[in-house]
């Protein structure tokens, strides 16, 4: 076979090895022919190596030097390594020597590929065809030759179902002839029982190690996406993922189910024996991590640009029918969207919930249970499941099992709130809760009493999961770091969405909501940014929903509203003259805190909890693209009397009945995507000073103050305050419990304004969030792959690597 033609041919690595793999890399001055097998075989013939050895022996500077000074030889090295993988897949890797060669080629390509991707001139190299490598081997086959990338991907997928190398052989005895890798049905060799496969193969740690190395190479192939800058253009598909998830890959279905089942079946606790993980190596965990990462990358698909790939509920038959449904060309997304059996949903949900809850498992013996580290990948996977398979989403919300996902998410949010390096984790947790909160069942499920005591540094309370959610959100808003401010809109949208269904809030949660209103309705906060008043609108909507739809069980909230009635009166009498606006802004200069922490009645934290800690100085983190504003992130739906939802027209939903304009999610930016009319209106109502700084004007304050939805609350105060005061005087009451008892038996039937329709802001897929997920996912994968450091110190463009 002829070597690929390259422009500059001067030197290559030559390996002198007095001892195996203890060679020094030196340069050889002329291009080496691809036919010089004796030379090339030195690179993979060694036996005692690991992927870490390869990374140590092949330094970045030397890969780059060869790329610049001897492109011909680098090209031949890649081509020969792929050729070895193809030969291994063809032969079935029956000898130990063949397996060693395959693994060494795998490691070498994992090392080199990032340096191919970082150079724009090389990026197309794997998509070029190699002269003489036609499917028939002769020169006349060059037109239908496969690009090197396709040969590489097909060889790796074949090797992932290679008997005695990565899967258990089905031979009955050693006398039987070895199985032909091309005639086996890989669906019979799925790695783990679960979706679409009932048989759990015998664990084999060698197979797990080999699978892990091959999956690491796959992930490295897919990582070309890291070397392209972020772009909202959804036509930018990753060619590696596109080919891998196409019908060209004959193992697509068994590989998809293998990856999914290996992740969801994993139980890290280890037979319940304390400290078991310290005595035995767990070969399954690295495989599960790699499988989770490969899975989420193959599912990186912008659902906003296509018809939703979910089925209509009429499908019957096997786990995933063979009938070609309409849907994306990406087979992994297609298969995921077509899972529909209840037992499969149960298996997936139980598995994800078990793994997400793992870091929360408290034992009496410190460090006795194994803690997993791949919860961020699991959250992305759970997001994809809910986004691509609406039947799965409804299954999750059908029972209280959704709370097994909610509690770990709230734990992660609370734990990461002070850590700037985990801002991405905060976002994905909030996005998942936003998605769930768009469904009525989620709000209903939150009424279940919260009895599991996961140690969190939040006040002790007795109540429901709704109380837990509100208390954690309050903690994030009042004691998270500054970069979380763009999430406030999202957090309050979630509370608004669930509020019509909350039967009885605890006193602790009720006080937290009132404390937020108090903090957000100070004049300096309202006047200091163009979108801050939206937060007050959201909170008033929460109070209105609870008073109108759940008054009976919510005496704690009603009592808290009565106690803090001055906050509502101050809002109703908010000054709008220039002098008062300036005075309010002066107060801001004296109060640099983002939100007043006084009166938040935090009380004693839960036993066994640790305060949320900021990141260690020097911690690496990856940058994220801005998230779309809440108006782009959600669409409004109105709940009709029979409980069904109907989507409101975008024009009509630009302003809600309370008149609050769409809110923003990115730091300090005005909201995006609003009607040009309201943009002009805002420009007219607020003025920009010469420095380009936005300044509030009386007209601007009036424009939204007049729409504050205070009628329901004012009517409640008008009716109940005199009654409560009268009881206190008549009976000489000072005891809260007596007043609460009175409020429990009170009624406002016929006294309140006509209930407003319930408005739910449902998450909607869009290219902005698709891009956010891509940068977040690859950032997580970049930072988590440190042994070996696959992408470290290469010129990635999708995000920046920063130190806290």
């Amino acid at each position: 076979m002829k070597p690929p033609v390259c422009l500059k041919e001067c030197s290559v690595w030559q390996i002198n090895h007095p001892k195996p793999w203890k060679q020094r890399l030196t340069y050889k001055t002329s291009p080496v022919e691809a036919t010089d097998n004796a030379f090339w075989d030195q690179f993979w013939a060694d036996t005692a190596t690991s992927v870490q050895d390869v990374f140590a022996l092949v330094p970045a500077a030397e890969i780059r030097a060869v790329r610049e000074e001897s492109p011909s030889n680098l090209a031949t090295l890649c081509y020969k390594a792929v050729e070895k993988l193809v030969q291994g897949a063809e032969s079935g890797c029956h000898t130990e020597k063949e397996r060693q060669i395959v693994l060494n080629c795998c490691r070498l390509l994992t090392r080199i590929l990032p340096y191919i991707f970082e150079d724009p001139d090389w990026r197309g190299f794997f998509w070029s065809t190699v002269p003489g490598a036609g499917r028939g081997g002769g020169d006349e086959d060059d037109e239908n030759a496969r690009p090197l990338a396709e040969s590489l991907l097909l060889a790796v997928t074949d090797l992932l179902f290679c008997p005695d190398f990565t899967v258990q052989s089905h031979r009955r005895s050693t006398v039987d002839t070895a199985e032909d890798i091309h005639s086996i049905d890989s669906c019979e060799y799925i790695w783990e029982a679960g979706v679409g496969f009932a048989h759990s193969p015998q664990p084999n740690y060698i197979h797990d190690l080999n699978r892990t190395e091959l999956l690491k190479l796959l992930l490295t192939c897919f990582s070309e996406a890291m070397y392209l800058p972020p772009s909202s253009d959804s036509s930018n598909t990753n060619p590696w993922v596109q080919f891998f998830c196409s019908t060209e890959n004959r193992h697509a279905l068994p590989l998809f189910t293998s990856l999914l089942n290996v992740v969801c079946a994993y139980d890290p606790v280890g037979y319940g024996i304390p400290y078991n993980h310290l005595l035995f190596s767990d070969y399954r965990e690295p495989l599960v991590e790699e499988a989770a990462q490969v899975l989420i990358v193959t599912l990186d698909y912008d659902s906003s640009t296509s018809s939703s790939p979910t089925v209509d509920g009429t499908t019957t038959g096997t786990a995933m029918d063979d009938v070609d449904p309409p849907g994306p060309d990406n087979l992994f997304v297609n298969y995921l969207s077509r899972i529909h059996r209840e037992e499969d949903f149960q298996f997936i949900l139980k598995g994800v919930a078990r793994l997400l809850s793992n870091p929360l498992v408290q034992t009496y013996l410190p460090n006795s249970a194994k803690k997993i580290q791949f919860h961020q990948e699991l959250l992305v996977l759970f997001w994809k499941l809910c986004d691509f398979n609406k039947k799965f989403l409804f299954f999750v919300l059908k029972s209280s099992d959704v709370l097994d996902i909610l509690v770990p998410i709230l734990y992660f949010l609370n734990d990461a709130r002070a850590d700037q390096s985990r801002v991405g984790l905060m976002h994905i947790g909030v996005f998942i809760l936003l998605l769930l909160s768009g469904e009525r069942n989620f709000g209903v499920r939150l009424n279940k009493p919260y009895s599991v005591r996961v140690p969190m540094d939040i006040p002790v309370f007795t109540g429901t999961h709704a109380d837990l959610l509100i208390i954690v959100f309050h903690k994030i808003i009042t004691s998270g770091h500054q970069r979380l401010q763009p999430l406030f809109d999202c957090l309050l949208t979630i509370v608004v969405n669930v509020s019509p269904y909350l039967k009885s809030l605890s006193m602790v949660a009720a006080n937290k909501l009132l404390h937020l209103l108090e903090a957000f309705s100070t004049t300096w906060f309202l006047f200091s940014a163009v979108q801050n008043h939206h937060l007050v609108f959201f909170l008033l909507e929460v109070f209105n929903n609870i008073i109108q739809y759940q008054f009976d069980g919510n005496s704690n909230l009603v009592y808290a509203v009565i106690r803090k009635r001055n906050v509502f009166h101050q809002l109703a009498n908010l000054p709008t003259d220039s002098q008062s606006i300036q005075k309010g802004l002066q107060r801001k200069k004296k109060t640099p805190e983002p939100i007043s922490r006084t009166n938040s009645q935090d009380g004693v934290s839960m036993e066994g909890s640790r305060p949320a800690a900021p990141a260690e100085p020097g911690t690496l983190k990856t940058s994220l693209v801005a998230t779309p504003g809440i108006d782009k992130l959600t669409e409004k739906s109105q709940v009709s009397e029979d409980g069904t939802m109907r989507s409101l027209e975008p024009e009509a939903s630009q302003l809600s009945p309370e008149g609050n304009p769409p809110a923003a999610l990115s730091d300090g930016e005005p909201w995006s995507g609003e009607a040009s009319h309201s943009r002009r209106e805002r420009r007219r109502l607020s003025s920009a000073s010469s420095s380009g700084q936005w300044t509030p004007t009386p007209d601007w304050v009036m424009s939204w103050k007049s729409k504050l939805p205070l009628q329901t609350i004012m009517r409640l105060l008008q009716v109940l305050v005199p009654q409560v005061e009268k009881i206190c005087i008549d009976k000489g009451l000072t005891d809260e419990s007596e007043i609460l008892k009175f409020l429990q038996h009170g009624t406002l039937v016929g006294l309140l304004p006509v209930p407003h329709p319930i408005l739910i802001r449902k998450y909607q897929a869009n290219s902005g969030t698709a891009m956010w997920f891509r940068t977040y996912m690859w950032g997580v994968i970049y930072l988590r792959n440190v042994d070996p450091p696959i992408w470290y110190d290469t010129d990635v463009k999708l995000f920046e690597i920063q130190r806290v």
Side-chain angles (χ1 to χ4, degrees):
M1 294 185 183
K2 293 176 279 189
V5 178
C6 282
L7 305 171
K8 190 173 169 210
E9 303 183 336
C10 27
S11 64
V12 76
W13 300 310
Q14 181 183 20
I15 296 182
N16 314 311
H17 44 142
K19 294 195 184 112
W21 281 95
K22 294 281 178 208
Q23 315 86 347
R24 201 164 46 80
L25 292 170
T26 56
Y27 288 121
K28 180 162 181 169
T29 50
S30 58
V32 183
E33 284 292 327
T35 49
D36 185 352
N37 288 330
F39 175 79
W40 296 111
D41 284 351
Q42 319 177 74
F43 285 95
W44 30 79
D46 208 340
T47 49
T49 62
S50 67
V51 68
Q52 286 78 8
D53 293 337
V54 174
F55 273 69
L57 286 162
V58 184
E62 301 203 8
I63 303 175
R64 288 190 177 114
V66 175
R67 188 182 69 196
E68 302 314 315
E69 295 161 30
S70 182
S72 163
N73 287 327
L74 180 60
T76 307
L77 181 70
C78 292
Y79 158 60
K80 293 295 283 184
V82 172
E83 182 185 57
K84 285 289 170 195
L85 290 180
V86 172
Q87 286 169 1
E90 290 285 328
S91 71
C93 280
H94 297 304
T95 66
E96 197 46 55
K97 187 183 173 195
E98 283 177 291
R99 289 171 199 163
Q100 200 55 56
I101 288 172
V102 161
L103 290 172
N104 284 341
C105 289
C106 216
R107 293 158 186 161
L108 195 59
L109 286 166
T110 302
R111 180 60 174 145
I112 293 171
L113 272 165
Y115 299 90
I116 299 278
F117 294 152
E118 74 173 0
D119 184 333
D121 295 339
W122 274 84
R123 215 167 282 145
F125 166 70
F126 270 84
W127 293 96
S128 58
T129 51
V130 181
R135 292 189 176 100
D139 283 358
E140 69 284 351
D141 278 319
D142 281 356
E143 301 83 69
N144 68 355
R146 274 199 185 283
L148 204 52
E150 294 186 5
S151 303
L152 170 56
L153 290 172
L154 293 176
V156 171
T157 53
D158 275 344
L159 288 164
L160 285 167
F161 292 99
C162 185
D164 291 324
F165 180 52
T166 49
V167 290
Q168 213 71 51
S169 171
H170 288 186
R171 280 184 304 162
R172 286 193 177 77
S173 70
T174 47
V175 187
D176 287 2
T177 50
E179 291 145 297
D180 173 15
I181 197 162
H182 295 289
S183 62
I184 66 169
D185 176 3
S186 46
C187 284
E188 292 171 12
Y189 290 83
I190 289 171
W191 302 348
E192 186 56 77
V195 177
F197 195 65
H199 167 65
S200 191
Q202 198 61 33
N204 182 318
Y205 80 96
I206 299 286
H207 293 174
D208 278 0
L209 291 173
N210 294 343
R211 291 164 178 171
T212 304
E213 297 228 32
L214 288 161
L215 290 179
K216 216 180 269 300
L217 173 56
L218 268 184
L219 198 59
T220 311
C221 291
F222 297 158
S223 71
E224 183 180 312
M226 278 197 216
Y227 298 90
L228 303 168
S231 137
S232 54
D233 181 8
S234 52
S235 62
N236 277 356
T237 46
N238 182 328
W240 294 84
V241 173
Q242 194 175 12
F243 179 80
F244 180 78
C245 297
S246 73
T247 49
E248 292 271 356
N249 177 0
R250 72 187 182 99
H251 303 293
L253 180 60
L255 200 45
F256 168 76
T257 38
S258 292
L259 296 172
L260 184 64
N261 293 352
V262 155
V263 172
C264 296
Y266 178 56
D267 186 356
V269 176
Y271 310 111
I273 303 162
Y275 301 104
N276 206 20
H277 67 291
L278 301 178
L279 306 177
F280 305 103
S281 287
D282 178 0
Y283 294 99
R284 194 34 72 110
E285 187 180 22
L287 173 65
V288 175
E289 287 198 15
E290 218 64 52
Q293 291 176 1
V294 169
L295 199 51
I296 59 177
V297 170
T298 54
L299 296 171
D300 177 19
Y301 178 83
D302 184 356
S303 60
S304 67
T305 57
S306 67
S307 55
S308 173
T310 53
V311 283
D312 60 0
T314 54
T315 325
T316 50
T318 56
M320 280 160 286
D321 281 335
D322 292 334
V323 187
D324 281 343
D329 302 330
N330 177 323
L331 288 179
F332 277 44
V333 174
N334 208 323
Y335 296 146
L336 185 78
S337 70
R338 288 162 58 199
I339 300 172
H340 62 275
R341 293 192 314 191
E342 294 247 327
E343 56 268 40
D344 290 338
F345 287 156
Q346 189 63 32
F347 165 75
I348 294 169
L349 181 58
K350 277 273 180 277
V352 173
R354 177 178 59 246
L355 291 170
L356 284 178
S357 304
N358 164 270
L360 290 59
V361 174
Q362 281 302 109
T363 53
Y364 295 107
L365 302 167
N367 304 320
S368 65
K370 182 168 187 151
K371 293 243 185 296
I372 61 153
Q373 302 297 324
F374 56 97
H375 47 273
Q376 297 191 84
E377 292 92 324
L378 288 166
L379 290 172
V380 176
L381 177 60
F382 183 76
W383 170 271
K384 298 282 181 198
L385 282 156
C386 292
D387 194 23
F388 293 148
N389 191 325
K390 291 295 173 266
K391 284 184 153 188
F392 177 75
L393 176 61
F394 298 141
F395 177 84
V396 168
L397 293 165
K398 204 171 70 170
S399 72
S400 312
D401 289 351
V402 66
L403 303 175
D404 298 337
I405 300 288
L406 169 76
V407 172
I409 289 177
L410 291 176
Y411 172 84
F412 293 131
L413 291 178
N414 188 57
D415 189 54
R417 70 178 192 271
D419 184 343
Q420 298 237 4
S421 70
R422 293 198 281 170
V423 73
L425 170 63
M426 297 292 296
H427 275 75
I428 182 144
V430 172
F431 283 164
I432 290 173
L433 297 183
L434 179 65
L435 179 73
L436 295 174
S437 75
E439 306 297 336
R440 174 183 177 276
N441 266 359
F442 181 64
V444 174
R445 299 285 161 236
L446 290 179
N447 290 305
K448 188 177 179 184
Y450 177 65
S451 50
V452 203
R453 285 284 172 256
V454 173
M456 293 190 217
D457 65 325
I458 56 172
V460 176
F461 71 97
T462 303
T464 64
H465 285 76
D467 295 309
L468 177 69
L469 178 126
I470 288 167
I471 291 165
V472 169
F473 283 11
H474 173 271
K475 199 84 174 173
I476 293 167
I477 291 170
T478 58
S479 65
H481 56 79
Q482 281 292 65
R483 291 189 57 212
L484 297 180
Q485 213 154 344
L487 279 176
F488 291 0
D489 278 343
C490 250
L491 292 168
L492 293 187
T493 298
I494 294 164
V495 181
V496 172
N497 281 348
V498 301
S499 59
Y501 311 111
L502 305 183
K503 292 189 186 308
S504 122
L505 287 183
S506 69
M507 189 59 90
V508 178
N511 284 333
K512 296 301 179 207
L513 286 175
L514 265 299
H515 175 242
L516 287 179
L517 182 71
E518 213 175 346
F520 289 147
S521 57
T522 57
T523 47
W524 75 258
F525 185 78
L526 284 172
F527 298 158
S528 61
V530 71
Q531 75 279 15
N532 281 357
H533 63 279
H534 302 162
L535 301 172
V536 169
F537 276 89
F538 283 136
L539 284 164
L540 291 176
E541 201 176 329
V542 170
F543 297 132
N544 287 337
N545 281 342
I546 293 176
I547 292 166
Q548 288 280 21
Y549 291 99
Q550 299 291 348
F551 178 81
D552 287 350
N554 274 297
S555 51
N556 288 328
L557 184 78
V558 173
Y559 178 63
V561 167
I562 291 172
R563 275 187 57 225
K564 292 283 182 186
R565 56 191 178 277
N566 62 319
V567 179
F568 299 97
H569 289 301
Q570 279 166 9
L571 266 176
N573 301 315
L574 190 72
T576 56
D577 59 289
S578 299
Q579 201 179 350
S580 304
I581 291 172
Q582 284 317 307
K583 212 185 210 168
L585 290 171
Q586 287 307 312
R587 218 169 290 164
K588 181 190 181 183
K589 290 180 184 131
K590 293 181 204 144
T591 325
E593 284 265 326
I595 280 166
S596 132
R597 316 247 166 116
T598 51
N599 308 333
S600 74
Q601 297 138 331
D602 257 15
V604 186
S605 279
M606 289 181 160
E607 195 184 338
S609 66
R610 291 192 321 270
E616 291 284 322
T619 306
L620 286 181
K621 65 188 185 83
T622 54
S623 63
L624 291 161
V625 293
T627 46
I630 195 78
D631 59 314
K632 285 273 182 69
L633 214 51
T634 55
E635 63 177 6
K636 290 195 179 137
S637 296
Q638 198 169 305
V639 181
S640 47
E641 285 178 16
D642 61 356
T644 56
M645 288 194 199
R646 65 182 185 83
S647 186
L648 296 176
E649 288 302 305
E651 298 76 33
S653 68
Q654 280 302 332
L655 291 173
S656 69
E658 294 87 7
N660 54 324
L665 238 182
S666 45
D667 279 300
E669 285 175 16
W671 58 83
S672 55
E674 75 231 273
S676 56
H677 164 71
S678 58
R679 248 203 309 273
R680 282 198 304 277
E681 197 64 12
R682 195 180 75 236
R683 266 204 295 275
R684 189 176 65 73
L685 295 175
S686 59
S687 60
S689 62
S690 53
S691 63
Q693 189 109 36
W694 172 85
T695 52
T697 63
D699 283 353
W700 171 77
V701 178
M702 280 301 297
S703 72
W704 54 261
K705 181 193 166 183
S706 59
K707 293 172 185 145
L708 283 167
L710 287 164
Q711 305 81 339
T712 299
I713 293 164
M714 288 310 195
R715 183 75 183 123
L716 173 137
L717 293 173
Q718 197 187 350
V719 173
L720 291 180
V721 170
Q723 293 182 13
V724 170
E725 284 175 344
K726 186 173 185 308
I727 290 175
C728 291
I729 294 162
D730 292 355
K731 297 190 176 175
L733 288 183
T734 51
D735 185 10
E736 257 184 22
S737 60
E738 292 294 324
I739 301 168
L740 284 168
K741 212 173 280 177
F742 163 73
L743 290 173
Q744 272 163 9
H745 298 109
T747 177
L748 291 177
V749 174
L751 297 173
L752 292 178
V754 177
H756 54 281
I758 296 174
L759 268 188
I760 303 291
R761 293 166 181 83
K762 286 170 82 82
Y763 167 81
Q764 58 171 354
N766 64 74
S767 51
T769 41
M771 193 63 232
W772 185 90
F773 272 100
R774 184 169 305 146
T775 51
Y776 170 62
M777 170 184 78
W778 278 114
V780 168
I781 291 170
Y782 177 98
L783 292 173
R784 298 260 299 108
N785 283 273
V786 288
D787 185 27
I790 301 180
W791 301 281
Y792 185 70
D793 239 5
T794 61
D795 189 14
V796 296
K797 294 277 195 295
L798 186 62
F799 45 77
E800 287 171 24
I801 293 91
Q802 303 158 338
R803 284 189 188 275
V804 173

